[in-house]
């Protein structure tokens, strides 16, 4: 990446930067900055515990981290005023595949590209650390299930795009349905970015010299691979 590229203002990266603030600001509201600091510690294996956030940790992570980030990436929340019935958007707990699999992905990303089916598996914050990779394991099951891929081929899809995330770590997989080939495209860790944002907003202890532009630059790779407008080109 050239210096000139780093200096360019990326509106999608800016939207994602703003949406990422939702997660730490919710911890500040709850008075649980210490728990957030623990989750954002390098190599920490503690997942987000439900009692501290007052609801199921998976739901909390989806509501205050994963869905805001998806919205910033260009997948509109159908419950938002921005949704007009067109364009990329996410669907929670889709029933689309209920006759194919006993389990189904947590999200379907719709209207991204007519040749693609895009699914996302979500876990509680910090469940994708080195020792567990919970969301990634679930995603591999979808990619490797013959009945699931056969169903998608019959629906005239050419490729499946699968994302596994705990909100901090995002892994992108693709499967060429007609060629029966699969592979990981990209894995991006946003922990350091969230730590800097949390410090800038005095949610966790410590200082950061990261500016808003620094944050945008750090999430450039993430946006380049996961944004709704970029995804079809990434997996070609």
């Amino acid at each position: 990446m050239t210096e000139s590229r780093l200096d360019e203002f990326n509106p999608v990266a800016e939207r994602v930067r703003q949406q990422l603030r939702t997660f730490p600001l919710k911890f500040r509201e709850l008075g649980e900055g210490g728990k957030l600091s623990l989750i954002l510690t390098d190599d920490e294996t503690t997942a987000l515990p439900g009692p501290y956030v007052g609801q199921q940790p998976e739901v909390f992570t989806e509501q205050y981290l994963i869905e805001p980030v998806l919205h910033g990436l260009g997948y509109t929340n159908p419950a938002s005023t921005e949704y007009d019935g067109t364009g990329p958007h996410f669907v929670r707990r889709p029933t689309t595949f209920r006759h194919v699999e006993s389990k189904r992905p947590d999200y379907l990303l719709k209207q991204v590209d007519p040749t693609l089916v895009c699914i996302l598996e979500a876990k509680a914050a910090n469940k994708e650390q080195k020792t567990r990779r919970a969301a990634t394991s679930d995603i591999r099951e979808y990619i490797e299930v013959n009945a699931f891929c056969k169903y998608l081929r019959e629906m005239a899809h050419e490729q499946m795009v699968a994302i596994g995330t705990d909100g901090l770590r995002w892994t992108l997989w693709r499967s060429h349905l007609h060629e029966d080939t699969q592979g990981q495209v990209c894995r991006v860790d946003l922990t350091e970015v969230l730590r800097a944002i949390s410090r800038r907003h005095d949610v966790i202890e410590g200082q950061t010299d990261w500016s808003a532009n620094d944050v945008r630059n750090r999430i450039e790779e993430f946006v380049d691979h996961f944004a709704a407008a970029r995804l079809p080109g990434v997996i070609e």
Side-chain angles (χ1 to χ4, degrees):
M1 187 179 296
T2 65
E3 288 299 321
S4 61
R5 174 67 181 277
L6 288 174
D7 290 337
E8 292 176 2
F9 179 80
N10 186 323
V12 180
E14 173 60 15
R15 288 199 301 271
V16 172
R17 183 190 72 83
Q18 293 182 13
Q19 295 293 338
L20 281 169
R21 298 180 302 178
T22 306
F23 193 61
L25 291 179
K26 186 62 180 179
F27 275 88
R28 188 172 71 182
E29 175 191 329
L30 295 171
E32 293 292 350
K35 184 55 62 177
L36 176 60
S37 181
L38 182 62
I39 292 170
L40 297 178
T41 300
D42 290 333
D43 297 323
E44 175 58 50
T45 58
T46 301
L48 177 67
Y52 290 91
V53 295
Q55 62 187 115
Q56 291 182 339
E58 291 84 0
V59 175
F60 181 90
T61 304
E62 291 171 3
Q63 184 175 1
Y64 295 106
L65 183 54
I66 294 173
E67 291 184 8
V69 169
L70 286 175
H71 196 75
L73 289 168
Y75 307 95
T76 305
N77 184 337
S80 75
T81 57
E82 296 179 31
Y83 179 65
D84 63 2
T86 62
H89 59 279
F90 61 79
V91 176
R92 302 181 187 93
R93 310 297 187 268
T95 59
T96 308
F97 313 114
R98 64 185 183 278
H99 298 305
V100 186
E101 283 289 288
S102 57
K103 59 176 289 188
R104 53 182 182 263
D106 294 314
Y107 292 88
L108 178 64
L109 306 182
K110 298 193 69 174
Q111 296 186 22
V112 177
D113 185 279
T115 66
L116 303 179
V117 61
C118 307
I119 61 174
L120 183 148
E121 190 71 16
K123 298 298 180 184
N126 219 31
K127 272 202 171 181
E128 273 292 278
Q129 73 275 31
K130 298 176 183 177
T131 58
R132 210 171 299 179
R133 296 287 185 92
T136 297
S137 297
D138 284 353
I139 283 297
R140 288 189 65 90
E141 290 184 25
Y142 288 107
I143 290 175
E144 295 171 357
V145 170
N146 290 330
F148 190 65
C149 294
K150 180 176 183 292
Y151 169 80
L152 297 179
R153 285 194 296 270
E154 291 174 350
M155 296 299 291
H157 293 297
E158 297 177 9
Q159 298 193 68
M160 175 169 62
V161 176
I163 298 170
T165 184
D166 63 357
L168 306 179
R169 301 159 190 88
W170 296 67
T171 304
L172 176 64
W173 293 77
R174 68 176 172 189
S175 175
H176 291 277
L177 298 172
H178 296 280
E179 299 175 11
D180 195 26
T181 58
Q182 310 89 25
Q184 180 176 312
V185 178
C186 180
R187 186 173 189 268
V188 177
D189 192 333
L190 298 177
T191 304
E192 189 176 6
V193 171
L194 276 163
R195 190 159 53 233
I197 292 173
S198 299
R199 286 173 174 164
R200 284 182 61 84
H201 289 279
D202 298 320
V203 182
I204 65 175
E205 294 182 355
Q207 300 294 319
T208 180
D209 57 0
W210 286 26
S211 66
N213 193 54
D214 293 329
V215 173
R216 283 192 296 269
N217 290 340
R218 291 299 185 103
I219 61 178
E220 190 77 34
E221 180 188 11
F222 177 63
V223 169
D224 280 349
H225 285 83
F226 290 87
R230 305 281 182 87
L231 195 58
V234 168
I235 55 88
E236 284 182 353

